[in-house]
């Protein structure tokens, strides 16, 4: 069993001592290996020697997704290419993806963190785990896979896409745990219900994340499948799944603070907020070699509870997310920025940059319709031209966001204009 008592049950003083030691090393590493950080630190007159511990964290510069875009693809890597053994990528705000890199040691620590999360969910080497997050550039599949292997469980690398095959194997193999997005698990539950197969499954736990979900959804999953469902959090830039996960008490997600130092800041003033207040979650990585990040702004809104948990862990807990401080949407587990849609439309002829994304959930699966205003000149053309344009827009948007959307072309000036900030999204899912 992976129950790292030395790290997970440390006193706050011991944890802060360890974090300070690791922070000093991380700052030294980025200062000497990453030009971006050296310049940023020099701009504010800081040298590595000025950072003596976590009490000096506030002196360090923030990092954002845009910094990763501006240094695309490998500009923030702090290890030579010969030491990088894997890359993953997630959506950028426009055009280029955000690329992240891992050394062998980074992958080992990542697996350890996911294994801790699985242990919190009661999963052990005696289990059979279906990993039904997407495999590939997305960190979900390979991240969960690495942790399950580290635990010594039997891993079934299902990925996403073939629910019938997944449910058949779940029954035939006697699968006892699953890792996938919560919305996909609700869909799986529905498929099992429709075929009357729930009594045939051996499932006992699920580790769900990668998208916002409610306590109500967690309970629905538990009731439908007669299992325990756990909330796992992570983001590609910081590592992938396994930055935090809740335990059987479901009173917040334990952050693996020995590797990821959390802070809560006010997203407007960028000032750290007092303990317990809700704001934007920021992480400084403490052990990463490939892509260490100083004060990475996750844009996820939450608060941190530093009191020890009933489970015995002393690791700080973040509460279920209360939304984001930017406009990123997560649709079928894929991160989507409205600005990606806008950039794709601007590249195409025949449309205007006026669009509305309507996100909904049907049969527990997300749907996306995008209404796009057509150019005045184009709209007078015959209907055949419109059909072609619909296909062209659908193709361009799928390329840009990595998701198929239903495209509806609408007449010029039909979408409501906003007096203030343009509104481009109607999200009917009510996830927070
Ligand atoms: O979603 C990593 C992951 C994979 C986490 C599998 C958990 C399970 P990204 O694609 O970079 O990485 O998206 C990160 O997803 O900033 C949150 O907004 C959101 N997110 C991730 N986990 C949760 C969760 C992966 N448990 C972004 N609850 C993050 C709510 C989540 N939101």
């Amino acid at each position: 069993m992976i129950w790292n008592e030395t790290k997970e049950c440390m006193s706050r003083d011991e944890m802060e001592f360890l974090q300070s030691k690791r922070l000093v090393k991380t700052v030294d590493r980025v200062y000497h290996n990453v030009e971006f950080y050296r310049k940023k630190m020099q701009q504010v007159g800081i040298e590595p020697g000025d950072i003596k511990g976590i009490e000096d964290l506030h002196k360090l510069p923030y990092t954002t997704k845009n910094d990763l875009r501006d240094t695309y693809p490998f500009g923030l890597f702090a290890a030579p290419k010969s030491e990088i053994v894997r890359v993953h990528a997630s959506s950028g705000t426009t055009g280029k993806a955000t690329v992240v890199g891992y050394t062998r040691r980074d992958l080992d620590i990542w697996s350890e963190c996911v294994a801790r999360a699985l242990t919190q969910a009661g999963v052990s080497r005696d289990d059979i785990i279906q990993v039904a997050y997407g495999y590939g550039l997305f960190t979900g599949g390979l991240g969960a896979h690495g942790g399950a292997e580290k635990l010594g469980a039997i891993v079934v690398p299902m990925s996403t896409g073939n629910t019938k095959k997944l449910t058949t194997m779940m029954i035939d193999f006697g699968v006892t745990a699953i890792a996938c997005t919560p919305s996909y698990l609700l869909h799986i539950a529905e498929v099992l219900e429709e075929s009357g197969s729930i009594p045939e499954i051996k499932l006992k736990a699920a580790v769900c994340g990668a998208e916002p979900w409610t306590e109500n959804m967690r309970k629905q999953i538990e009731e439908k499948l007669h299992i325990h469902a756990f909330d796992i959090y992570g983001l590609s830039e910081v590592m992938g799944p396994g930055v935090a996960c809740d335990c059987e008490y479901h009173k917040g997600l334990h952050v693996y603070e020995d590797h990821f130092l959390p802070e809560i800041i006010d997203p407007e003033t960028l000032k750290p907020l007092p303990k317990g207040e809700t704001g934007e979650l920021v992480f400084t990585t403490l052990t990463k070699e490939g892509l260490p990040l100083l004060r990475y702004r996750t844009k996820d809104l939450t608060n941190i509870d530093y009191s020890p948990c009933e489970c015995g862990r002393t690791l700080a807990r973040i509460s279920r997310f209360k939304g984001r401080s930017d406009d990123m949407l997560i649709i079928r587990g894929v991160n989507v920025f409205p600005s990606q849609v806008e950039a794709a439309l601007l590249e195409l002829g025949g449309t205007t940059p006026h669009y509305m994304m309507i996100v909904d959930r049907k049969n527990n699966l997300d749907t996306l319709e995008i209404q796009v205003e057509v150019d005045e000149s184009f709209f007078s053309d015959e209907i055949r031209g419109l059909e072609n344009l619909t296909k062209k827009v659908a193709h361009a948007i799928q390329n840009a966001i990595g998701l198929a959307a239903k495209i509806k072309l609408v007449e010029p000036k039909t979408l409501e204009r906003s007096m203030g900030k343009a509104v481009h999204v109607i999200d009917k899912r009510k996830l927070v």
Side-chain angles (χ1 to χ4, degrees):
M1 179 162 110
I2 306 253
W3 162 254
N4 193 340
E5 208 160 320
T6 37
K7 301 284 162 34
E8 293 180 63
C9 303
M10 277 179 161
S11 71
R12 283 252 50 92
D13 282 352
E14 285 170 327
M15 178 58 80
E16 289 178 4
F17 179 75
L18 178 71
Q19 289 173 329
S20 290
K21 224 171 62 182
R22 290 182 169 176
L23 176 67
V24 168
K25 266 176 97 172
T26 298
V27 170
D28 195 64
R29 182 176 185 92
V30 297
Y31 188 88
H32 290 106
N33 296 338
V34 186
E35 194 190 356
F36 167 87
Y37 279 121
R38 189 165 49 250
K39 281 196 176 147
K40 271 215 163 188
M41 285 171 63
Q42 282 168 348
Q43 271 164 16
V44 286
I46 305 173
E47 292 199 349
D50 298 328
I51 308 299
K52 302 211 162 48
I54 58 169
E55 65 282 5
D56 296 319
L57 187 63
H58 67 277
K59 296 181 184 164
L60 293 168
Y62 288 110
T63 314
T64 62
K65 207 178 201 9
N66 283 344
D67 294 327
L68 281 149
R69 184 194 61 197
D70 295 344
T71 52
Y72 174 88
F74 303 147
L76 293 191
F77 286 12
K81 280 202 194 112
S82 56
E83 283 176 25
I84 301 288
V85 295
R86 167 103 64 86
V87 292
H88 281 282
S90 69
S91 312
T93 44
T94 50
K96 299 268 198 258
T98 300
V99 183
V100 296
Y102 306 77
T103 63
R104 166 74 46 211
R105 182 165 170 267
D106 291 336
L107 290 185
D108 284 346
I109 290 175
W110 186 8
S111 303
E112 157 83 25
C113 289
V114 175
R116 284 188 198 176
L118 292 169
T119 306
Q120 274 169 221
V123 179
S124 75
R125 57 178 307 163
D126 299 325
D127 282 294
I128 304 180
I129 308 181
Q130 252 175 341
V131 175
Y133 288 116
Y135 278 66
L137 288 173
F138 175 54
T139 52
L142 284 165
H145 187 111
E149 267 189 5
K150 179 96 168 182
L151 202 57
I154 298 176
V155 193
V156 187
M158 245 9 263
S159 198
T160 50
N162 193 336
T163 312
K164 183 78 204 89
K165 198 168 176 180
L166 183 149
T167 52
T168 304
M169 287 187 173
M170 184 183 273
I171 294 164
D172 294 349
F173 297 0
V175 165
T176 50
I178 188 163
C180 63
T181 61
S183 55
Y184 189 41
L185 189 53
L186 267 179
H187 178 69
I188 292 169
E190 214 169 54
V191 170
L192 286 165
E193 255 173 1
E194 274 163 18
S195 59
S197 316
I198 303 261
E200 293 175 62
I201 61 169
K202 300 250 172 356
L203 205 62
K204 57 174 197 180
V207 184
C208 299
E211 62 183 12
W213 54 316
T214 56
E215 186 55 22
N216 196 20
M217 255 175 100
R218 198 178 67 74
K219 294 214 169 106
Q220 259 189 44
I221 289 174
E222 293 195 333
E223 278 163 23
K224 276 180 190 283
L225 293 168
H226 315 295
I227 62 167
H228 292 292
F230 295 83
D231 192 0
I232 187 168
Y233 168 79
L235 62 161
S236 323
E237 294 84 344
V238 170
M239 191 181 68
V243 172
C245 186
D246 66 354
C247 64
E248 71 267 34
Y249 291 93
H250 304 295
K251 289 189 178 154
L253 287 73
H254 290 284
V255 178
Y256 302 129
E257 284 182 88
D258 45 329
H259 299 294
F260 315 106
L261 176 59
E263 284 177 272
I264 298 288
I265 63 160
D266 178 327
E268 300 294 325
T269 65
L270 303 189
K271 294 258 182 300
L273 287 171
K275 279 193 174 169
E277 281 194 24
T278 297
E280 183 181 326
L281 181 62
V282 168
F283 279 113
T284 299
T285 65
L286 294 176
T287 48
K288 272 179 78 184
E289 296 177 334
L291 181 68
L293 292 176
L294 299 184
R295 306 186 85 196
Y296 183 74
R297 293 186 55 192
T298 66
K299 309 277 171 137
D300 293 315
L301 300 175
T302 184
N303 62 289
I304 307 181
D305 181 352
Y306 285 92
S307 65
C309 180
E310 288 162 70
C311 72
R313 288 177 183 82
T314 51
L315 296 172
R317 284 167 288 155
I318 46 178
S319 47
R320 207 175 259 290
F321 293 93
K322 296 171 175 73
R324 289 187 53 94
S325 63
D326 66 1
D327 55 359
M328 187 181 92
L329 295 157
I330 305 183
I331 306 172
R332 277 175 254 146
V334 178
N335 300 351
V336 177
F337 290 94
S339 49
Q340 293 174 295
V341 171
E342 192 160 312
L345 291 178
L346 283 169
E347 263 190 35
L348 272 180
T351 64
T352 71
H354 295 292
Y355 62 95
M356 183 64 84
M357 302 170 68
I358 300 160
V359 194
D360 208 345
R361 190 162 274 181
K362 293 209 173 81
N363 302 327
N364 298 311
L365 290 180
D366 293 336
T367 59
L368 171 63
E369 176 181 301
I370 307 181
Q371 299 179 352
V372 180
E373 268 188 23
V374 172
D375 230 40
E376 208 69 72
S377 58
F378 200 91
F379 212 79
S380 52
D381 278 11
E382 51 186 294
I383 209 76
R384 211 176 124 66
L386 273 183
E387 271 173 28
N388 281 340
L389 184 59
T390 308
K391 277 195 197 137
K392 242 171 82 178
V393 172
H395 186 72
I397 289 182
Q398 180 159 5
N399 259 346
I401 64 175
L403 263 185
K406 183 178 163 202
I407 304 298
K408 193 168 162 198
L409 298 183
V410 298
E411 290 194 38
K413 301 200 179 74
T414 43
L415 293 178
E416 205 175 315
R417 303 293 192 256
S418 158
M419 300 298 248
K421 250 173 172 270
V423 178
H424 287 302
V425 178
I426 299 174
D427 194 339
K428 300 181 173 170
R429 296 173 298 178
K430 298 194 177 53
L431 294 175
V432 285

